[in-house]
Amino acid sequence: MRRVEETPAVEATETAGTRSVRAAQLRSLVVPVWRTLPRRALTAAGAVGLLLAASTRLPDHAPDTELGLFVLRLTAFAGALGLAFLLDDPARNTSATTPMARPARTVLRLAMVIPLTVLWWTTALLLIPSPTRPPLLPVTLQAAAMIAAALALATAAVRFTDSPEVGRSTATCLLTAAVVAVLTPNRWGLLATPGDPWWEPTQLRWAAVLGVTLAVGAWWTPEPLGPGRGFRRPGFPGGSRAASPSR
């Protein structure tokens, strides 16, 4: 009877020990993950975005809000293109056997980059002159949706392929999506302006893009739970194929 009463305490101790070990392993990954961040792509994209925002201060007279919205959309898209390279990891195939799974490394990358992204976007907004600055909430929603879309596409590429660098393919998908958005009429698209009658439906569509891409990114970040799940493209080393039926 006494042994049975001690079981919950033993389990609690083992759980606490497991958590402390995982926390120590996570801390040990901070420096390696920081070193493997694609700093060149992130820095270049961030610099281009800030230069675009600062260009609105060049004219003698402040441009109107429609131009400000256009520039901030370009700025957000530049940032999204940079973040498309966030999950590039040249050591991916060698780090697959480490105690910490890929989702933990992905979360670490996001935790390092998201605060800097928020600071970068705030700086871009402040670079736009007040008369040129569009409504902040809608344009920030659009920027968040673009960034979430980039991260979701990169997560999908990591999940379904064994390629260590998925940034180029993700950026290509983003550029394709941008071309489709430009060619889509404002009545059904994402690029209406505040003066258009479709401005409010456009914000709803941007909110839908943000929600869907966040859900997709969260769903595909964890590792597959069993064999046959998480199809990986054939031709990459270590790619899994669907099991053939036994004869």
Side-chain angles (χ1 to χ4, degrees), residues 36-38 42 81-89 106 109-110 113 151 154 167:
T36 58
L37 286 178
L42 295 174
L81 283 177
L83 289 171
F85 295 83
L86 179 62
L87 301 186
D88 282 6
D89 186 3
T106 300
R109 286 171 177 261
L110 291 174
V113 169
L151 294 175

PDB file of all heavy atoms in Angstrom, residues 36-38 42 81-89 106 109-110 113 151 154 167:
ATOM      1  N   THR A  36      23.163  29.569 -37.311  1.00  0.00           N
ATOM      2  CA  THR A  36      22.671  29.062 -38.592  1.00  0.00           C
ATOM      3  C   THR A  36      21.541  29.909 -39.176  1.00  0.00           C
ATOM      4  O   THR A  36      21.006  29.556 -40.237  1.00  0.00           O
ATOM      5  CB  THR A  36      22.174  27.610 -38.436  1.00  0.00           C
ATOM      6  OG1 THR A  36      21.137  27.570 -37.439  1.00  0.00           O
ATOM      7  CG2 THR A  36      23.307  26.692 -38.024  1.00  0.00           C
ATOM      8  N   LEU A  37      21.168  30.996 -38.518  1.00  0.00           N
ATOM      9  CA  LEU A  37      20.139  31.855 -39.088  1.00  0.00           C
ATOM     10  C   LEU A  37      20.627  32.453 -40.411  1.00  0.00           C
ATOM     11  O   LEU A  37      21.807  32.819 -40.534  1.00  0.00           O
ATOM     12  CB  LEU A  37      19.786  32.984 -38.124  1.00  0.00           C
ATOM     13  CG  LEU A  37      18.955  32.628 -36.893  1.00  0.00           C
ATOM     14  CD1 LEU A  37      18.751  33.873 -36.022  1.00  0.00           C
ATOM     15  CD2 LEU A  37      17.605  32.048 -37.282  1.00  0.00           C
ATOM     16  N   PRO A  38      19.755  32.584 -41.398  1.00  0.00           N
ATOM     17  CA  PRO A  38      20.152  33.167 -42.694  1.00  0.00           C
ATOM     18  C   PRO A  38      20.256  34.688 -42.587  1.00  0.00           C
ATOM     19  O   PRO A  38      19.425  35.429 -43.099  1.00  0.00           O
ATOM     20  CB  PRO A  38      19.022  32.734 -43.627  1.00  0.00           C
ATOM     21  CG  PRO A  38      17.833  32.619 -42.741  1.00  0.00           C
ATOM     22  CD  PRO A  38      18.351  32.125 -41.417  1.00  0.00           C
ATOM     23  N   LEU A  42      17.992  37.841 -44.363  1.00  0.00           N
ATOM     24  CA  LEU A  42      17.156  38.651 -43.474  1.00  0.00           C
ATOM     25  C   LEU A  42      17.605  40.109 -43.465  1.00  0.00           C
ATOM     26  O   LEU A  42      16.782  41.029 -43.502  1.00  0.00           O
ATOM     27  CB  LEU A  42      17.201  38.073 -42.063  1.00  0.00           C
ATOM     28  CG  LEU A  42      16.600  36.672 -41.885  1.00  0.00           C
ATOM     29  CD1 LEU A  42      16.849  36.156 -40.473  1.00  0.00           C
ATOM     30  CD2 LEU A  42      15.114  36.693 -42.188  1.00  0.00           C
ATOM     31  N   LEU A  81       9.765  38.004 -48.063  1.00  0.00           N
ATOM     32  CA  LEU A  81      10.746  37.293 -48.889  1.00  0.00           C
ATOM     33  C   LEU A  81      11.982  36.932 -48.064  1.00  0.00           C
ATOM     34  O   LEU A  81      12.551  35.845 -48.228  1.00  0.00           O
ATOM     35  CB  LEU A  81      11.148  38.155 -50.086  1.00  0.00           C
ATOM     36  CG  LEU A  81      10.149  38.243 -51.239  1.00  0.00           C
ATOM     37  CD1 LEU A  81      10.659  39.203 -52.312  1.00  0.00           C
ATOM     38  CD2 LEU A  81       9.886  36.871 -51.852  1.00  0.00           C
ATOM     39  N   GLY A  82      12.410  37.833 -47.190  1.00  0.00           N
ATOM     40  CA  GLY A  82      13.542  37.504 -46.327  1.00  0.00           C
ATOM     41  C   GLY A  82      13.234  36.367 -45.370  1.00  0.00           C
ATOM     42  O   GLY A  82      14.040  35.447 -45.181  1.00  0.00           O
ATOM     43  N   LEU A  83      12.035  36.403 -44.776  1.00  0.00           N
ATOM     44  CA  LEU A  83      11.657  35.355 -43.827  1.00  0.00           C
ATOM     45  C   LEU A  83      11.377  34.028 -44.510  1.00  0.00           C
ATOM     46  O   LEU A  83      11.299  32.994 -43.847  1.00  0.00           O
ATOM     47  CB  LEU A  83      10.436  35.799 -43.029  1.00  0.00           C
ATOM     48  CG  LEU A  83      10.716  36.906 -42.011  1.00  0.00           C
ATOM     49  CD1 LEU A  83       9.417  37.449 -41.430  1.00  0.00           C
ATOM     50  CD2 LEU A  83      11.617  36.394 -40.897  1.00  0.00           C
ATOM     51  N   ALA A  84      11.218  34.030 -45.841  1.00  0.00           N
ATOM     52  CA  ALA A  84      11.080  32.762 -46.555  1.00  0.00           C
ATOM     53  C   ALA A  84      12.315  31.887 -46.382  1.00  0.00           C
ATOM     54  O   ALA A  84      12.239  30.661 -46.529  1.00  0.00           O
ATOM     55  CB  ALA A  84      10.827  33.032 -48.042  1.00  0.00           C
ATOM     56  N   PHE A  85      13.457  32.493 -46.060  1.00  0.00           N
ATOM     57  CA  PHE A  85      14.709  31.760 -45.888  1.00  0.00           C
ATOM     58  C   PHE A  85      14.972  31.397 -44.428  1.00  0.00           C
ATOM     59  O   PHE A  85      16.031  30.848 -44.113  1.00  0.00           O
ATOM     60  CB  PHE A  85      15.886  32.587 -46.413  1.00  0.00           C
ATOM     61  CG  PHE A  85      15.847  32.820 -47.895  1.00  0.00           C
ATOM     62  CD1 PHE A  85      15.086  33.846 -48.433  1.00  0.00           C
ATOM     63  CD2 PHE A  85      16.566  32.008 -48.767  1.00  0.00           C
ATOM     64  CE1 PHE A  85      15.042  34.070 -49.804  1.00  0.00           C
ATOM     65  CE2 PHE A  85      16.528  32.223 -50.138  1.00  0.00           C
ATOM     66  CZ  PHE A  85      15.759  33.253 -50.659  1.00  0.00           C
ATOM     67  N   LEU A  86      14.026  31.700 -43.533  1.00  0.00           N
ATOM     68  CA  LEU A  86      14.279  31.527 -42.100  1.00  0.00           C
ATOM     69  C   LEU A  86      14.583  30.077 -41.735  1.00  0.00           C
ATOM     70  O   LEU A  86      15.403  29.816 -40.858  1.00  0.00           O
ATOM     71  CB  LEU A  86      13.061  32.023 -41.296  1.00  0.00           C
ATOM     72  CG  LEU A  86      13.164  31.878 -39.780  1.00  0.00           C
ATOM     73  CD1 LEU A  86      14.321  32.717 -39.243  1.00  0.00           C
ATOM     74  CD2 LEU A  86      11.864  32.281 -39.105  1.00  0.00           C
ATOM     75  N   LEU A  87      13.924  29.122 -42.372  1.00  0.00           N
ATOM     76  CA  LEU A  87      14.097  27.723 -42.000  1.00  0.00           C
ATOM     77  C   LEU A  87      15.208  27.031 -42.769  1.00  0.00           C
ATOM     78  O   LEU A  87      15.367  25.810 -42.657  1.00  0.00           O
ATOM     79  CB  LEU A  87      12.776  26.965 -42.193  1.00  0.00           C
ATOM     80  CG  LEU A  87      11.595  27.503 -41.389  1.00  0.00           C
ATOM     81  CD1 LEU A  87      10.385  26.600 -41.548  1.00  0.00           C
ATOM     82  CD2 LEU A  87      11.947  27.665 -39.921  1.00  0.00           C
ATOM     83  N   ASP A  88      15.977  27.775 -43.565  1.00  0.00           N
ATOM     84  CA  ASP A  88      17.138  27.187 -44.228  1.00  0.00           C
ATOM     85  C   ASP A  88      18.140  26.723 -43.168  1.00  0.00           C
ATOM     86  O   ASP A  88      18.508  27.484 -42.271  1.00  0.00           O
ATOM     87  CB  ASP A  88      17.805  28.207 -45.149  1.00  0.00           C
ATOM     88  CG  ASP A  88      17.052  28.373 -46.460  1.00  0.00           C
ATOM     89  OD1 ASP A  88      15.966  27.782 -46.589  1.00  0.00           O
ATOM     90  OD2 ASP A  88      17.537  29.108 -47.333  1.00  0.00           O
ATOM     91  N   ASP A  89      18.562  25.486 -43.279  1.00  0.00           N
ATOM     92  CA  ASP A  89      19.490  24.920 -42.295  1.00  0.00           C
ATOM     93  C   ASP A  89      20.446  23.968 -43.005  1.00  0.00           C
ATOM     94  O   ASP A  89      20.095  22.821 -43.279  1.00  0.00           O
ATOM     95  CB  ASP A  89      18.717  24.177 -41.208  1.00  0.00           C
ATOM     96  CG  ASP A  89      19.633  23.689 -40.089  1.00  0.00           C
ATOM     97  OD1 ASP A  89      20.840  23.971 -40.134  1.00  0.00           O
ATOM     98  OD2 ASP A  89      19.123  23.015 -39.168  1.00  0.00           O
ATOM     99  N   THR A 106      12.719  24.986 -34.778  1.00  0.00           N
ATOM    100  CA  THR A 106      11.899  25.967 -35.483  1.00  0.00           C
ATOM    101  C   THR A 106      11.364  27.023 -34.531  1.00  0.00           C
ATOM    102  O   THR A 106      11.378  28.221 -34.831  1.00  0.00           O
ATOM    103  CB  THR A 106      10.727  25.261 -36.190  1.00  0.00           C
ATOM    104  OG1 THR A 106      11.248  24.315 -37.135  1.00  0.00           O
ATOM    105  CG2 THR A 106       9.840  26.259 -36.904  1.00  0.00           C
ATOM    106  N   ARG A 109      14.054  29.476 -33.677  1.00  0.00           N
ATOM    107  CA  ARG A 109      14.284  30.443 -34.758  1.00  0.00           C
ATOM    108  C   ARG A 109      13.216  31.536 -34.733  1.00  0.00           C
ATOM    109  O   ARG A 109      13.512  32.726 -34.878  1.00  0.00           O
ATOM    110  CB  ARG A 109      14.282  29.732 -36.117  1.00  0.00           C
ATOM    111  CG  ARG A 109      15.529  28.927 -36.382  1.00  0.00           C
ATOM    112  CD  ARG A 109      15.402  28.074 -37.634  1.00  0.00           C
ATOM    113  NE  ARG A 109      16.638  27.359 -37.892  1.00  0.00           N
ATOM    114  CZ  ARG A 109      17.566  27.726 -38.761  1.00  0.00           C
ATOM    115  NH1 ARG A 109      17.383  28.818 -39.480  1.00  0.00           N
ATOM    116  NH2 ARG A 109      18.667  27.018 -38.923  1.00  0.00           N
ATOM    117  N   LEU A 110      11.969  31.132 -34.564  1.00  0.00           N
ATOM    118  CA  LEU A 110      10.880  32.119 -34.519  1.00  0.00           C
ATOM    119  C   LEU A 110      11.029  33.034 -33.319  1.00  0.00           C
ATOM    120  O   LEU A 110      10.808  34.254 -33.422  1.00  0.00           O
ATOM    121  CB  LEU A 110       9.531  31.396 -34.470  1.00  0.00           C
ATOM    122  CG  LEU A 110       9.129  30.645 -35.733  1.00  0.00           C
ATOM    123  CD1 LEU A 110       7.849  29.859 -35.494  1.00  0.00           C
ATOM    124  CD2 LEU A 110       8.934  31.606 -36.900  1.00  0.00           C
ATOM    125  N   VAL A 113      13.613  35.677 -34.134  1.00  0.00           N
ATOM    126  CA  VAL A 113      13.383  36.589 -35.247  1.00  0.00           C
ATOM    127  C   VAL A 113      12.138  37.457 -35.059  1.00  0.00           C
ATOM    128  O   VAL A 113      12.115  38.616 -35.492  1.00  0.00           O
ATOM    129  CB  VAL A 113      13.301  35.776 -36.567  1.00  0.00           C
ATOM    130  CG1 VAL A 113      12.806  36.634 -37.709  1.00  0.00           C
ATOM    131  CG2 VAL A 113      14.656  35.185 -36.892  1.00  0.00           C
ATOM    132  N   LEU A 151       6.146  31.974 -43.863  1.00  0.00           N
ATOM    133  CA  LEU A 151       6.558  30.959 -42.895  1.00  0.00           C
ATOM    134  C   LEU A 151       5.798  29.652 -43.099  1.00  0.00           C
ATOM    135  O   LEU A 151       6.362  28.567 -42.932  1.00  0.00           O
ATOM    136  CB  LEU A 151       6.347  31.490 -41.481  1.00  0.00           C
ATOM    137  CG  LEU A 151       7.233  32.679 -41.087  1.00  0.00           C
ATOM    138  CD1 LEU A 151       6.856  33.190 -39.703  1.00  0.00           C
ATOM    139  CD2 LEU A 151       8.709  32.297 -41.130  1.00  0.00           C
ATOM    140  N   ALA A 154       7.350  27.912 -46.085  1.00  0.00           N
ATOM    141  CA  ALA A 154       8.646  27.340 -45.711  1.00  0.00           C
ATOM    142  C   ALA A 154       8.462  26.107 -44.836  1.00  0.00           C
ATOM    143  O   ALA A 154       9.175  25.099 -44.988  1.00  0.00           O
ATOM    144  CB  ALA A 154       9.478  28.396 -44.976  1.00  0.00           C
ATOM    145  N   GLY A 167      14.471  28.101 -48.893  1.00  0.00           N
ATOM    146  CA  GLY A 167      14.155  29.513 -49.065  1.00  0.00           C
ATOM    147  C   GLY A 167      13.858  29.903 -50.503  1.00  0.00           C
ATOM    148  O   GLY A 167      12.928  30.669 -50.761  1.00  0.00           O
TER     149      GLY A 167
END
